[in-house]
Amino acid sequence: MDRNVSKIKVFKFGGASLRDAASLRNASEILKMHAASPLILVVSAMGKSTNSLEKIHEALYNSDIKEALKRLEELNSYHRAIVEELFTDSSHLIYSNLNQIFDELRVEIEKTPEPYFDQSYDRIVHFGERIASCIAAAHFKESGLMAELVDARKLVITDDNFRDAYVDWDLSYERIQECCRKYFEENGRKIILTQGFIGGTEDGRPTTLGREGSDFTASVFAYCADAEEMHIWKDVQGVMNGDPKIMPDAEFLPHLSYRETVELAYYGASVIHPKTIKPLENKRIPLYVRSFLHPELPGTCINQDMKDDKSKPSYIFKFNQMLVSVLPKDFSFINEKNLSDIFSVLSRNNIRVRMMQNSAVSFSFCCDNNVVKMPMLLKDLQERFVLRYNDNVELITIRHYNESKEEEVIKDRKILLEQKSRSTRQVIVKKR
Ligand code: ASP
Ligand code: MG
């Protein structure tokens, strides 16, 4: 796009960076440090609000309206306490704006739930981001930042695959370009503030993009606005070579390629939503993952340069996994026809396989031990195959492995299955 203000940056603040009044004040300080360039700011729901909204939806589905309304009150009090700390003037517009959104949510809750679980999930759960963005916009304006709140449901246009909607890139591109033109060029705004995780169908129904999807929203905006950079602000220094909660000596990775980051996310590193990288890579937009507690630090830079990818091994731990071995009932060999049947069943049940291997007579795979999906999958497979399975195993993936640390991580644990390529070692071990 040929515009004067071409150097747009996209920032994403997640729930942890907006969980209370102090965090919001901190966020506005960070924004002030970056006031020079036009900014698209994507926010997700505050703290653990999305979990609370999921509980409300669940209660509705169990026809427990009392429980749903009780949880609504808790959600309201949580946000109200933040607003009261930020705005001492009780006649401030934020109070009526917030009441309006909560009234809308209450109406949604009191309606008879639709028969379609995923669609009604989106109608309830998307409110978290709307509430957060409404409060954040008011606070940033109050702090002197020229922020314009825009509704992601009208910009991120999706299909109606509720709960995991697909973005219509052409339509979203048009809408986002138009929005940037309007606010950055014509109205001289510095910040466009919008919601992560949520979108809308062309006919105006709210959708969501999958849990933790705000990172992806930020990259949709970065792609569609032809941004110069994207920054994800987190409570860690950047990307680490292991989850610090599991591996206290995890080390910081200053630089990674898009390719390596996608691999890490694919194997289950929770630092960035896996869908985030591709749109950035296509336009070579660098991504910075950095700490909102130490905004002076540069964080991890992710771009196309692969030179540092092998500098340190990375460790990804997936708990609560299931290892399933599938054997043809007639004790024939595992052949292409059997494999094709197994994969059809996996695909029909929407199962994400994390590791697989076959021998002459059996095919084994590892996937999340999901309490809803797994019983259905096993039943489906049992029609044609004999099954053996181990529930509650753990999957350890090591990228760019080297022996010394590897032994320390696996130690004396019993290895049930193992696979090694030149870059990646995966082992399935028994739960301790
Ligand atoms: N608020 C949503 C969630 O918690 C989206 C996100 O945080 O990225 O899943
Ligand atoms: Mg969140």
Side-chain angles (χ1 to χ4, degrees), residues 12 14-15 44-51 54 121 125 128-129 196-197 210-216 273:
K12 182 246 162 169
S44 61
M46 291 174 160
K48 303 267 181 239
S49 305
T50 305
N51 293 353
E54 277 190 344
Y121 174 100
V125 172
E129 272 65 17
F197 178 57
R211 284 303 307 263
E212 308 301 330
S214 305
D215 292 349
F216 176 52
H273 193 286

Side-chain angles (χ1 to χ4, degrees), residues 126-140:
H126 87 281
F127 273 92
E129 272 65 17
R130 284 177 57 199
I131 297 164
S133 58
C134 167
I135 297 173
H139 170 64
F140 296 150

Side-chain angles (χ1 to χ4, degrees), residues 151-393:
D151 190 335
R153 288 173 298 173
K154 300 207 170 71
L155 298 176
V156 179
I157 307 303
T158 71
D159 67 2
D160 59 2
N161 187 34
F162 296 102
R163 263 183 107 167
D164 193 16
Y166 293 99
V167 171
D168 180 325
W169 288 93
D170 291 341
L171 268 180
S172 304
Y173 186 84
E174 254 172 47
R175 303 265 180 113
I176 290 171
Q177 286 276 328
E178 180 53 34
C179 172
C180 291
R181 228 178 343 259
K182 180 168 168 197
Y183 292 113
F184 290 144
E185 291 180 19
E186 292 163 22
N187 298 0
R189 288 284 184 273
K190 278 288 183 215
I191 301 176
I192 291 175
L193 173 63
T194 192
Q195 304 89 10
F197 178 57
I198 77 176
T201 57
E202 244 191 298
D203 61 3
R205 289 170 295 163
T207 54
T208 63
L209 309 177
R211 284 303 307 263
E212 308 301 330
S214 305
D215 292 349
F216 176 52
T217 302
S219 85
V220 171
F221 274 93
Y223 181 94
C224 293
D226 297 301
E228 186 194 29
E229 289 172 2
M230 173 168 145
H231 300 234
I232 296 181
W233 296 88
K234 296 189 70 96
D235 55 0
V236 287
Q237 196 186 346
V239 181
M240 313 289 282
N241 75 336
D243 182 344
K245 285 178 214 118
I246 306 162
M247 229 175 75
D249 58 347
E251 291 175 79
F252 169 67
L253 301 172
H255 172 235
L256 288 170
S257 68
Y258 296 121
R259 171 80 198 280
E260 182 63 20
T261 312
V262 166
E263 293 286 344
L264 293 176
Y266 175 82
Y267 287 118
S270 58
V271 65
I272 300 168
H273 193 286
K275 285 198 280 189
T276 311
I277 300 299
K278 199 70 197 149
L280 301 178
E281 185 178 11
N282 285 2
K283 290 206 172 166
R284 297 205 163 189
I285 301 166
L287 166 64
Y288 298 88
V289 180
R290 51 197 300 191
S291 163
F292 60 78
L293 300 168
H294 295 285
E296 69 289 356
L297 298 177
T300 300
C301 169
I302 297 164
N303 58 22
Q304 66 276 11
D305 184 350
M306 308 211 284
K307 76 176 185 329
D308 296 323
D309 287 351
K310 294 182 185 158
S311 63
K312 281 189 189 101
S314 292
Y315 303 86
I316 303 145
F317 300 86
K318 287 309 267 181
F319 301 105
N320 196 20
Q321 300 291 299
M322 190 176 231
L323 174 62
V324 185
S325 292
V326 184
L327 297 85
K329 273 192 174 156
D330 55 5
F331 299 106
S332 63
F333 293 134
I334 283 288
N335 58 23
E336 285 66 23
K337 171 76 179 74
N338 287 329
L339 287 172
S340 156
D341 291 345
I342 297 168
F343 279 108
S344 311
V345 177
L346 288 167
S347 155
R348 192 160 60 233
N349 286 277
N350 235 327
I351 300 294
R352 164 84 204 282
V353 173
R354 297 192 177 274
M355 180 176 161
M356 57 186 147
Q357 208 169 72
N358 68 292
S359 72
V361 291
S362 80
F363 172 78
S364 303
F365 63 90
C366 174
C367 58
D368 291 350
N369 190 1
N370 181 309
V371 287
V372 181
K373 284 185 186 177
M374 284 317 279
M376 294 201 284
L377 172 81
L378 297 178
K379 195 165 160 264
D380 214 346
L381 280 171
Q382 258 154 354
E383 287 184 12
R384 254 173 295 168
F385 300 97
V386 176
L387 301 184
R388 302 216 174 95
Y389 52 87
N390 255 297
D391 45 16
N392 228 341
V393 298

